[in-house]
Amino acid sequence: MNKQTIVSGIRASGKLHIGNYLGALKQFVELQNQGHNCYFFIADLHGITTPFEPKELSKNTLDVVATYLAAGIDPNKVTFFLQNHILEHATLAWIFNCITPLGELERMTQYKDKAKEHKTSINAGLLTYPTLMAADILIYKPNAVPVGDDQVQHVELSRVVARKFNHRFGKTFPEPQTFMRKPLRIMSLTDPTKKMSKTGDEALLLDDEPKEIHRKLKKATTASVSGKKSPGEENLMLLLSNFGTDEEIRNFMNAQSRGILKYSELKEVLAKDIADYFADFREKKKELLSQPDYLAEVLGQGAKKARTAAQATLTEVKQRIGLL
Ligand code: TYM
């Protein structure tokens, strides 16, 4: 791949899980190491669209900062920052709100799901979440946006917004592609018909100690649903394909095809593989969290770099639409 501009973010709403890692963070590190021009950030403004505690929010944000770095993001190689530090994102999001038909936002699957889940607190931010996301993306004029399967619809909307803007005001934005090695959705351990999210025993957190990983996997549901293949089994095999050795993958696939797969064995092997895989990560992260001044400095430097690019785009946008 030629040198590309890449943009992506992760919400600051709790500790990251293995779905966030495989769907997003792991690919961020790979793209960084391939030498692309990457903008990676923490979507703290998106983090406040669902109920939150102010003290928890700042703690969660720092936690995600340390997670990015411990997972291998190098602030000298990429532009790494907090979304709320770059005010231009919110301004561009407002402009996008004014050209995006309400119907486009109302049909977003995540909006419909979240609105159901948070019946008593359906705020306007939940609805306009994708226009802020479009601003996060388009402000850096990227070629590609690495995300997990659940965010594809939002990246598509950013293309719709780019097209609408370009059509009305003249060619300004590229239409960025979704970047996914293959569509990836890690499912909940307790209900594998739902995607893994940031709450309860359903998620394997990147911070989980080996004992905890073991405990959660042991409890993972493997029951089949109405005579079909067990979605829990598929999910565990998907995890094995990401964390297991070639030999383990071959052996368990073989056992699966012969109908002699033992879940207890699969869970044991997987627990050990995942615990080992994240051993360095856990140590590095603890060390980083003990250096809050360093984390603040990294974010300050990243914000400077991001702001230069964001300001240039916003100036161009304002000129195009006649804002002085
Ligand atoms: P968030 O924090 O919900 O998810 C962050 C990334 O993790 C992926 N992901 C998963 N992948 C596989 N299986 C899962 N179970 C799973 N759960 C989450 C998501 O697809 C995502 O890539 N709106 C974004 C944050 C954002 C953003 C952006 C992303 C804000 N602005 C601009 C890209 C570009 C989100 O919900 O992240």
Side-chain angles (χ1 to χ4, degrees):
M1 217 182 353
N2 296 333
K3 187 162 174 153
Q4 309 258 321
T5 298
I6 309 277
V7 176
S8 197
I10 298 180
R11 263 177 316 143
S13 54
K15 290 190 177 288
L16 301 197
H17 54 68
I18 250 160
N20 298 130
Y21 180 74
L22 293 176
L25 200 46
K26 185 169 181 240
Q27 308 192 58
F28 296 179
V29 176
E30 283 169 14
L31 290 162
Q32 157 193 286
N33 293 339
Q34 286 165 9
H36 295 295
N37 176 29
C38 300
Y39 292 86
F40 294 134
F41 61 93
I42 294 165
D44 47 2
L45 294 174
H46 282 106
I48 62 172
T49 54
T50 47
F52 69 99
E53 284 299 324
K55 272 197 195 138
E56 289 296 308
L57 179 65
S58 51
K59 218 172 84 194
N60 285 339
T61 304
L62 269 191
D63 195 277
V64 183
V65 175
T67 300
Y68 265 83
L69 299 178
I73 290 298
D74 178 348
N76 294 315
K77 291 188 183 158
V78 304
T79 304
F80 173 55
F81 59 100
L82 293 189
Q83 182 188 36
N84 103 83
H85 285 177
I86 312 300
L87 306 179
E88 287 75 10
H89 287 220
T91 307
L92 186 59
W94 178 258
I95 293 168
F96 287 167
N97 278 339
C98 299
I99 60 166
T100 307
L102 199 51
E104 292 279 357
L105 299 175
E106 282 169 338
R107 71 179 184 82
M108 293 288 114
T109 315
Q110 181 174 298
Y111 169 69
K112 289 195 244 169
D113 290 349
K114 290 246 157 99
K116 243 191 254 161
E117 194 186 321
H118 302 278
K119 279 202 182 79
T120 52
S121 57
I122 307 171
N123 57 58
L126 212 48
L127 180 69
T128 57
Y129 184 117
T131 40
L132 176 57
M133 191 161 153
D136 296 337
I137 296 171
L138 296 176
I139 206 157
Y140 301 106
K141 301 191 174 181
N143 309 94
V145 184
V147 285
D149 189 42
D150 63 316
Q151 293 298 315
V152 170
Q153 199 184 30
H154 289 158
V155 180
E156 257 165 37
L157 186 84
S158 78
R159 287 197 286 275
V160 172
V161 171
R163 227 171 290 141
K164 279 200 185 299
F165 189 97
N166 292 344
H167 183 70
R168 171 90 173 78
F169 303 107
K171 177 107 180 75
T172 309
F173 296 110
E175 290 184 28
Q177 296 307 308
T178 304
F179 176 89
M180 273 192 295
R181 292 209 187 290
K182 51 183 167 182
L184 188 97
R185 185 177 293 232
I186 304 297
M187 307 309 269
S188 153
L189 296 180
T190 49
D191 178 358
T193 59
K194 290 191 331 200
K195 76 167 179 173
M196 184 176 280
S197 72
K198 290 174 181 158
T199 45
D201 275 1
E202 63 170 284
L204 280 176
L205 305 179
L206 303 192
D207 288 353
D208 282 343
E209 294 292 338
K211 250 181 151 174
E212 187 63 359
I213 298 175
H214 210 266
R215 186 187 68 79
K216 287 182 181 172
L217 279 174
K218 208 167 169 191
K219 278 191 3 189
T221 307
T222 43
S224 9
V225 178
S226 58
K228 280 196 243 144
K229 254 194 187 166
S230 150
E233 175 181 323
E234 291 301 299
N235 200 33
L236 295 180
M237 289 299 284
L238 177 60
L239 289 175
L240 187 76
S241 73
N242 280 282
F243 296 109
T245 62
D246 289 348
E247 195 189 347
E248 287 163 356
I249 299 169
R250 221 177 12 236
N251 288 347
F252 281 106
M253 278 177 64
N254 196 349
Q256 190 184 32
S257 65
R258 293 165 57 210
I260 54 166
L261 179 67
K262 286 211 181 83
Y263 292 138
S264 56
E265 277 175 19
L266 173 59
K267 288 174 174 181
E268 280 293 326
V269 167
L270 201 49
K272 185 176 173 320
D273 286 343
I274 294 177
D276 287 352
Y277 185 93
F278 289 105
D280 282 351
F281 166 87
R282 288 192 298 273
E283 288 312 307
K284 268 196 213 139
K285 185 169 166 190
K286 279 182 209 148
E287 200 183 309
L288 285 160
L289 281 173
S290 70
Q291 305 170 50
D293 291 349
Y294 169 69
L295 300 182
E297 191 192 313
V298 164
L299 293 175
Q301 295 293 339
K304 262 194 214 153
K305 283 201 265 173
R307 198 169 291 124
T308 306
Q311 279 175 346
T313 305
L314 192 62
T315 301
E316 185 188 352
V317 165
K318 283 182 169 183
Q319 281 164 352
R320 290 220 182 257
I321 65 181
L323 286 170
L324 293 178

